[in-house]
C-alpha cells in the first residue's frame, strides 16, 4: 500500500483514470473507487495471513531459525531513546525514515521549484514565501499520514498480520510508540504552519471554518488538540508516575480519529482505514469477550513482604496458548475501565482446565488487588474478574537451543515460569530432549525467593516429570549480606485460597483468532468489509448522490457523508463479529456448562472446609514438598552481590551449541544483557530476546 502514498504522478495520471473509467458509476462513485484501491490489498493480506496461520497451526510445524536470521536478530542499538533495537528492526527503521525524508524532499523541492518559476502576476497577490508556507504545511500533513497509515497495526492484539510476521502484541508496542511520536510531530508542525500562515495573512477567521464540501479546519483543530492531549501523557516519566492519567487520556484516540475523518473526508481517510479497520475488529471482539465474568478458582498468596499472587482461573480445555502469553485483567471492584497485562504462567497442555497469572503488588491497582484477595472475607464472596486474551507468539521453538539462559529481575521471572512448565510437558509427555535451563534471578530480600515456589505446578505427576528437566537456578539476594540460619525454602508461608463459585461466572474460552479459529477471524474481516462496500454503494447511489445533485454546486455535506460511512463501518463490524462470536459461544456453551459443574463438584477442601465455600489452607506436605525439594536442589544462593552477566554468559556459551538468552526485568538489566550478546564475545552463539512491556 505504501507505493500509493509516494509523491509520484504515475499512479495519478496513469492508473487512477483507468480504474475510474472502469468502476465509475452512481453506485460506487469516487469514494468506492478509492476505498477499493487503498483498503482491499492490506485487508486481503490480513485474510490470507489468517489462512496461513490456520494451516500452520494444523501442521504444528516449528519454525527453524537460520544462522543468517539469527545474526539479523542480534541487538544493534542498546541504549538511547529507542531502547533495544535488533538488526532487522534497524534496517526497516532506516528504510522508513528514508521514505519519510525522501517524500518530504520530493514534495518540497517540486512545489517550491514550480513556485519560483511562476510569474508573480499569476500568484493572486500572494508572495512566494507565503505560498511556500501554505504548501509546506500541506506536505507535512501528507507525510504525517504515511505514519498514521501504520499506527494501528501494532495495537491490534489478535491481528493475524502481526503473527504472520512473527511479532507479538507486547513486542510491537514500541513500534506504535515510534509511529505515534512521528504522527504527532508532523501533524503538530502541519497545524502550526497553517496557524502562522493565517496570522500573517490576517485570516484567523479560517480557524473557525467548517466547509460543506472541502477541508474542515475546525475538525482538524479538534483532532489535533485531542492528539496533543493524548501525546502529552505518553512520555515515560508521566506514564510511569501517573499511569491512570495516561490510561484514561488514551481514549482520546476516538476523538482524534473521528474528527480526522471529518477534517479530510472519508475518501482521503482510506489511507489509514486498513490498520484502523483491523484494530476496530480486534477491539470489538475483545469487548465481547470481556462482557462476561470469568471464574476465579484459587489464589496462591506469597508472603506479605513481596505482595505477590498467583491467580488461577477456570478455562475451556479447547483454549490453547503459547508460553510467554499475556492476559489482560479487569477487576470492576477496583476500576471498571482499567485493564492491566500479566504474564500467563500456566501451560495449556500441562494444565488443561486452569490458566494462571502472577501479579506482584508494585502499583496502586495491584496493591489494591492483593489486599482484596488476601483479606479473610474474600473467599466467602464472588470475585468478579473480566479478561481479554491470552495473546502470545504464534509459535515458539526453544528446542533449537542447546542451552537456554533466562535472566530476570524481581517479577520479571513470570514469563520464565511458563517456559519451564512448557518444557516440563515437552520432556514428560512428548519425550523430547529439552535444552539445559539456566535461570539467573535477582531478588531484593530472602522473602522474595518465594517467587521460586511458582516455578513448578503443584501436582505429584508434574513434580515427578521434573526429574528429566536439567534446571539450574542462580539466585542473587542483593540487599542481604549473609544467609539466614535456616534454609529459605523451609519457611513456606505460601497460602492457597479457594473462591466461592458463581453460576454466572464462566471459564475463559477461546476468542476468534489467536486462541480459536483463524478462519473465523478471516470470515469476520472479509464479510464485514464486503457488507460495508455493498451498503455504502446503495447509500451512495440512492441517497448521497441524488441529494448532492439536488443541492447543485453545494453538493452533499462532506462531514455528513463521513459520519454515515463511519456509522455503516461500525455497524458492519459489530454485526459480523457478534454473529461469529455468538455462533462459537453456542458451540462451546455445552462443554463449558459440563466443565463448570465438574469444577464445582471438585473444589478442594482443607481441614474439613465444606465444598463450595471459601477455604484458606497451607499446602500439604505431599504436594508441596516435591517441587520445593527439586527447586532447593537446583538453586545456588548468592548474597550481597549482583550477577556478573558477562562472566556467566561467556561461560555458558563456551559449552558449545546454540545458547538462547532471554531477559525480563528492568531496562538496565535488559540493556546490559543485550550489550553483551551484541559485543561479539561469543560469535553468533548467543541469541538474545527481550521480554518487556516497557522499552
Amino acid at each position: 500500500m505504501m507505493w500509493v502514498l509516494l509523491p509520484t504522478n504515475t499512479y495519478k495520471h496513469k492508473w487512477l483514470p483507468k480504474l475510474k473509467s472502469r468502476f465509475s458509476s452512481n453506485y460506487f462513485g469516487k469514494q468506492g473507487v478509492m476505498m477499493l484501491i487503498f483498503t482491499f490489498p492490506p485487508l486481503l493480506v490480513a485474510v490470507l495471513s489468517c489462512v496461513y496461520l490456520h494451516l500452520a497451526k494444523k501442521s504444528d510445524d516449528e519454525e527453524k531459525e537460520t544462522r543468517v536470521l539469527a545474526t539479523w536478530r542480534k541487538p544493534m542499538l542498546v541504549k538511547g531513546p529507542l531502547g533495544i533495537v535488533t538488526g532487522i528492526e534497524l534496517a526497516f527503521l532506516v528504510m522508513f525514515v528514508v521514505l519519510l525524508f525522501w517524500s518530504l524532499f520530493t514534495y518540497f523541492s517540486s512545489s517550491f521549484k514550480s513556485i519560483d518559476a511562476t510569474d508573480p502576476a499569476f500568484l493572486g497577490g500572494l508572495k512566494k514565501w507565503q505560498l511556500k508556507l501554505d504548501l509546506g504545511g500541506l506536505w507535512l500533513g501528507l507525510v504525517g499520514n504515511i505514519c498514521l497509515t501504520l499506527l494501528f497495526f501494532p495495537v491490534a492484539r489478535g491481528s493475524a498480520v502481526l503473527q504472520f510476521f512473527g511479532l507479538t502484541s507486547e513486542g510491537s508496542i514500541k513500534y506504535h510508540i515510534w509511529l505515534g511520536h512521528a504522527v504527532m510531530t508532523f501533524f503538530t508542525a502541519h497545524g502550526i504552519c497553517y496557524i502562522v500562515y493565517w496570522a500573517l495573512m490576517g485570516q484567523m477567521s479560517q480557524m473557525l471554518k467548517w466547509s460543506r464540501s472541502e477541508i474542515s479546519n475546525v475538525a482538524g483543530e479538534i483532532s489535533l488538540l485531542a492528539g496533543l492531549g493524548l501525546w502529552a501523557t505518553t512520555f515515560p516519566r508521566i506514564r510511569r508516575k501517573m499511569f491512570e492519567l495516561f490510561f484514561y487520556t488514551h481514549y482520546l484516540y476516538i476523538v482524534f480519529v473521528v474528527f480526522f475523518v471529518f477534517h479530510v473526508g472519508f475518501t482521503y481517510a482510506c489511507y489509514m482505514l486498513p490498520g484502523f479497520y483491523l484494530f476496530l475488529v480486534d477491539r470489538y471482539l475483545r469487548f465481547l469477550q470481556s462482557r462476561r465474568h470469568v471464574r476465579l478458582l484459587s489464589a496462591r498468596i506469597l508472603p506479605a513482604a513481596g505482595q505477590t499472587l498467583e491467580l488461577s482461573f477456570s478455562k475451556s480445555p479447547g483454549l490453547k496458548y503459547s508460553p510467554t502469553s499475556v492476559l489482560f485483567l479487569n477487576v470492576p471492584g477496583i476500576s471498571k475501565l482499567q485493564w492491566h497485562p500479566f504474564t500467563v504462567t500456566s501451560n495449556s497442555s500441562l494444565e488443561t482446565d486452569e490458566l494462571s497469572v502472577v501479579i506482584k503488588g508494585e502499583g496502586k491497582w495491584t496493591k489494591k488487588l492483593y489486599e482484596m484477595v488476601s483479606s479473610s472475607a474474600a473467599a466467602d464472596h464472588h470475585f468478579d474478574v473480566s479478561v481479554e486474551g491470552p495473546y502470545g507468539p504464534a509459535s515458539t521453538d526453544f528446542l533449537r537451543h542447546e542451552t537456554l539462559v533466562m535472566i530476570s529481575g524481581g517479577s520479571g521471572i513470570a514469563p520464565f515460569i511458563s517456559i519451564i512448565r512448557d518444557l516440563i510437558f515437552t520432556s514428560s509427555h512428548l519425550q523430547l530432549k529439552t535444552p539445559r535451563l539456566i535461570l539467573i534471578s535477582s531478588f531484593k530480600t530472602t522473602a522474595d525467593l518465594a517467587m521460586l515456589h511458582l516455578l513448578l505446578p503443584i501436582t505429584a505427576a508434574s513434580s515427578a516429570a521434573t526429574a528429566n528437566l536439567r534446571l539450574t537456578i542462580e539466585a542473587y539476594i542483593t540487599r542481604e549480606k549473609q544467609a539466614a540460619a535456616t534454609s529459605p525454602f523451609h519457611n513456606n508461608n505460601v497460602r492457597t485460597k479457594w473462591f466461592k463459585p458463581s453460576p454466572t461466572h464462566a471459564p475463559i474460552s477461546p476468542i476468534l483468532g489467536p486462541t480459536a479459529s483463524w478462519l473465523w477471524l478471516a470470515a469476520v474481516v472479509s464479510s464485514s468489509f464486503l457488507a460495508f462496500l455493498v451498503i455504502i454503494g446503495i447509500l451512495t447511489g440512492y441517497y448521497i448522490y441524488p441529494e448532492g445533485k439536488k443541492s447543485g454546486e453545494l453538493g452533499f455535506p462532506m462531514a455528513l457523508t463521513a459520519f454515515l460511512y463511519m456509522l455503516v463501518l461500525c455497524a458492519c463490524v459489530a454485526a459480523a463479529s457478534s454473529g461469529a462470536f455468538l455462533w462459537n459461544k453456542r458451540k462451546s456453551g455445552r462443554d463449558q456448562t459440563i466443565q463448570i459443574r465438574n469444577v464445582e463438584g471438585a473444589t478442594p477442601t482443607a481441614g474439613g472446609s465444606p465444598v463450595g465455600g471459601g477455604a484458606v489452607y497451607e499446602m500439604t506436605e505431599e504436594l508441596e514438598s516435591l517441587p520445593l525439594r527439586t527447586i532447593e536442589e537446583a538453586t545456588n544462593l548468592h548474597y550481597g552481590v549482583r550477577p556478573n552477566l558477562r562472566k556467566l554468559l561467556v561461560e555458558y556459551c563456551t559449552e558449545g551449541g546454540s545458547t538462547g538468552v532471554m531477559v525480563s526485568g528492568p531496562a538496565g538489566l535488559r540493556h546490559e544483557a543485550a550489550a553483551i550478546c551484541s559485543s561479539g564475545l561469543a560469535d553468533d552463539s548467543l541469541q538474545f530476546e527481550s521480554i518487556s512491556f516497557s522499552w
Side-chain angles (χ1 to χ4, degrees), residues 538-559:
I538 297 173
L539 187 65
T540 302
Y542 293 97
Y543 178 66
I544 294 177
Y545 181 78
E547 289 295 324
K549 201 170 182 181
K550 290 179 185 177
S551 302
E553 295 182 358
L554 293 176
F556 197 83
M558 187 174 73

Side-chain angles (χ1 to χ4, degrees), residues 529-540:
F529 185 67
L530 181 61
F532 169 66
L533 289 179
V534 171
I535 294 175
I536 65 168
I538 297 173
L539 187 65
T540 302

Side-chain angles (χ1 to χ4, degrees), residues 277-327:
Y277 192 89
L278 295 176
F279 169 77
L280 190 63
V281 171
D282 176 73
R283 185 66 190 88
Y284 188 73
L285 287 173
R286 289 191 277 124
F287 168 78
L288 292 176
Q289 185 193 21
S290 64
R291 288 308 87 198
R292 190 171 185 181
H293 296 313
V294 297
R295 186 180 181 215
L296 176 61
L297 295 175
S298 63
R300 293 173 69 187
I301 305 171
L302 273 60
Q307 291 194 336
T308 302
L309 302 166
E310 183 184 46
L311 300 182
S312 295
F313 300 92
S314 174
K315 84 169 184 69
S316 169
L319 175 61
K320 301 295 182 181
Y321 48 86
S322 303
T324 71
S325 292
V326 172
L327 188 74

Side-chain angles (χ1 to χ4, degrees), residues 102 113 141 178 222-223 246 391 395 479 534 558:
W102 178 75
K113 286 179 182 178
W178 297 349
I222 295 174
S223 177
F246 159 78
Y391 306 100
S395 63
R479 295 187 179 180
V534 171
M558 187 174 73

